[in-house]
Amino acid sequence: MGKKYPGSNVHPFEFNGEYFALDVNTGSLLEVDEPAFYFLGKLIESDSLSNATEETEKAYGDANEVRSEVENLINQGLLFSKPPNYFESELKLKSLCLNVAHACNFACKYCFAKQGNYGEKSALMDFKVAKRAIDFLHENSEGREHLEVDFFGGEPLLDFEVVKKTIKYARSTYPDKKWRFTLTTNGSLLTESMEQFLYDNDVSLVLSLDGNKEVNDKFRVLPDGRGTFDLILPNLRMVAEHRKESGGYYIRGTYTHSTLEISKTVMDLHDFGFKYISLEPVVTKDGGINISKEDLPRLRKEYEKLAKEYVESQKEGEWHFFHFNVDLEAGPCIQKRIHGCGAGVEYMAVAPNGDIFPCHQFDGIVEMRLGNVFTGIERKDLVEQFRKANFLFNKKECASCWARFYCSGGCLANNYTMNGDIFKPYETGCETQRMRIEAALFVQAKLRDLGLKVDTTTSEEFRDSVK
Amino acid sequence: MRHIKVVAKRPFWNINKKHDCRECQTPCKSACKTSVTVGNQVCEVKKPIKRWIW
């Protein structure tokens, strides 16, 4: 028989010297004092209210009041609540990553795309391939209102004419769909006229920058080894200025074992004038730069520092560090939360020659080739594997993880890179993920204390809108 | 209550439980295109009029 008070359903945690408990199945967040935190820990450990009371009494004196509050919250369904109803969704293609350039003018040392060409001969996507990819997406996405296309590389601005023609083709040929476009760029080739076209066509931009000059130039270099910071900063600032009111961009940095000072990095990026920032760990088998288990305590300190500084700086004006944007009012639906990114089913990547892969990170891996946009899907068996791997509860470790409804099962490409198995979670990545969710919950709790909720809609408004 | 303060009350219940339109943005877990967690995404139904993804 299962436990009555399992740790997979309530997660007590300490962050920045403060104590919290998350009710996993409802997303309820509680701020608790030290005796209550201790009580919950003992309750999960012993699975007995009497034992938890006894142990808490020994440590803190009278525990009856804590017990009564915990029991009250259990009765209200705010602690150890039942799992929500869910089912395995029917996943259907809705998003394509067009790797329009298997080529790059940078030679970033940690690049998973092997300096942009994915280990193959450099190539640009011809418009006929991009056009066929758009047709393929439309043909396989019946019933979907929104379709997404990401222009990726390598450096997609090396093939900007194809980017422009593809956007125009998609919108004019299939006006029945709502198209969303994203372009990920190192920014070095970005001109004002390109930005104007991208802005006018509602293309969201992901702009790569790792931090200040010293941090960025450690890994983001030109083929001759020179740093890229001075080359790109003016262009990225041009975008941030142009989109100051509208948003529609974010700075996306990568941190490594040797650039772990993320609190300073994020605040530096904010000081450069950027309002939308994300910073992600490198994932590679290269032990020299990969985040190791030994790095995690330091990383936690960095998150704690950053969380405090972020909350403080929100008083001066709203800006976004994406890890902290967790919606405590509603957020995505449960069905969304229990399915992964859709790689291999809802989301696929297309190489310049039209070959289809489960996502951009699998591009160039022969055994992961699903087919070609001209001939269709050849590996239905592989698509089926990805369909299964996208469902959270098909991964044993994920099914019982307290972070399951925020992470929704991790990155299948990272699982493959680090463990050779899309079903086997990459443990250091999981640890990092759990750490940042705790940080996000702390930040949201503190913002509420200050009356500074960022970007939410009240539940009443939301319920009215979902009819 | 003296020991426990409720910060957020059942946010998952504020979502239409049967909702499964899958019209929201595809999340990239390695954050090459979006920020990594699903939990920080917005519902398409919740924000129907939005020019930009972010």
Side-chain angles (χ1 to χ4, degrees), chain A residues 31-80:
Chain A
E31 199 167 342
V32 302
D33 66 4
E34 201 177 320
F37 177 74
Y38 186 85
F39 183 94
L40 287 170
K42 291 294 169 193
L43 181 58
I44 289 164
E45 194 183 297
S46 67
D47 206 33
S48 154
L49 281 165
S50 311
N51 283 358
T53 311
E54 224 170 89
E55 292 290 329
T56 308
E57 265 170 5
K58 276 186 212 159
Y60 294 96
D62 184 25
N64 285 326
E65 201 171 53
V66 173
R67 177 179 174 157
S68 149
E69 288 184 22
V70 167
E71 282 187 301
N72 186 11
L73 290 165
I74 293 172
N75 292 336
Q76 285 184 55
L78 293 171
L79 273 175
F80 299 102

Side-chain angles (χ1 to χ4, degrees), chain A residues 343-390:
Chain A
V345 195
E346 277 190 327
Y347 168 67
M348 294 177 185
V350 181
N353 66 358
D355 279 353
I356 304 169
F357 294 91
C359 90
H360 56 290
Q361 294 211 52
F362 289 105
D363 189 343
I365 301 173
V366 179
E367 63 269 26
M368 286 291 172
R369 183 183 170 277
L370 299 176
N372 189 283
V373 289
F374 291 99
T375 51
I377 297 295
E378 293 154 27
R379 292 287 310 275
K380 293 196 171 140
D381 60 318
L382 204 47
V383 172
E384 193 48 35
Q385 283 297 301
F386 274 86
R387 184 184 304 282
K388 283 183 188 155
N390 268 290

Side-chain angles (χ1 to χ4, degrees), chain A residues 13 17 37-38 58 61 64 66 114 162 197 201 233 264 270 294 311 330 333 339 362 371 384 386 423 457 460:
Chain A
F13 64 97
F37 177 74
Y38 186 85
K58 276 186 212 159
N64 285 326
V66 173
K114 300 183 175 71
V162 165
F197 173 88
N201 284 277
L233 189 65
K264 180 171 185 322
H270 176 53
E294 290 68 42
V311 170
C333 63
H339 291 84
F362 289 105
E384 193 48 35
F386 274 86
F423 287 89
T457 305
E460 284 74 17

Side-chain angles (χ1 to χ4, degrees), chain A residues 26-31 33 65 69 76 89 94-95 145-146 148 150 180 199 202 204 243 246 250 252 280 322 325 327-329 332-333 335-336 341 346-347 360-361 406-408 433 436 448-449 455 457 459 462-463 466, chain B residues 1-48 50-54:
Chain A
T26 61
S28 302
L29 182 64
L30 312 172
E31 199 167 342
D33 66 4
E65 201 171 53
E69 288 184 22
Q76 285 184 55
S89 293
K94 66 175 185 179
S95 177
E145 190 183 356
H146 293 88
E148 300 161 36
D150 303 322
R180 293 169 168 145
Y199 181 87
D202 298 348
S204 299
R243 300 183 182 218
S246 63
Y250 80 86
R252 196 282 192 198
E280 303 298 332
F322 275 78
N325 283 5
D327 189 343
L328 291 184
E329 296 286 350
C333 63
Q335 287 305 116
K336 172 80 173 179
C341 60
E346 277 190 327
Y347 168 67
H360 56 290
Q361 294 211 52
Y406 294 93
C407 160
S408 65
Q433 182 68 272
R436 60 208 262 173
R448 284 188 164 210
D449 284 348
D455 197 32
T457 305
S459 51
F462 178 52
R463 273 197 296 267
V466 191
Chain B
M1 289 190 286
R2 215 164 64 86
H3 299 275
I4 304 176
K5 182 174 103 183
V6 179
V7 178
K9 213 171 185 177
R10 305 185 200 94
F12 299 170
W13 285 22
N14 292 334
I15 306 157
N16 185 336
K17 288 175 192 166
K18 288 180 184 164
H19 207 60
D20 185 34
C21 70
R22 307 207 67 77
E23 292 291 347
C24 49
Q25 191 196 5
T26 309
C28 175
K29 299 309 195 61
S30 61
C32 295
K33 318 152 183 302
T34 63
S35 196
V36 70
T37 49
V38 165
N40 63 14
Q41 288 200 294
V42 291
C43 172
E44 194 57 40
V45 182
K46 179 181 164 186
K47 294 204 166 168
K50 195 166 196 256
R51 182 180 176 195
W52 302 104
I53 291 171
W54 311 294

Side-chain angles (χ1 to χ4, degrees), chain A residues 253-269:
Chain A
T254 298
Y255 66 89
T256 69
H257 168 74
S258 61
T259 49
L260 273 182
E261 282 183 355
I262 63 162
S263 60
K264 180 171 185 322
T265 297
V266 172
M267 296 313 286
D268 282 347
L269 291 170

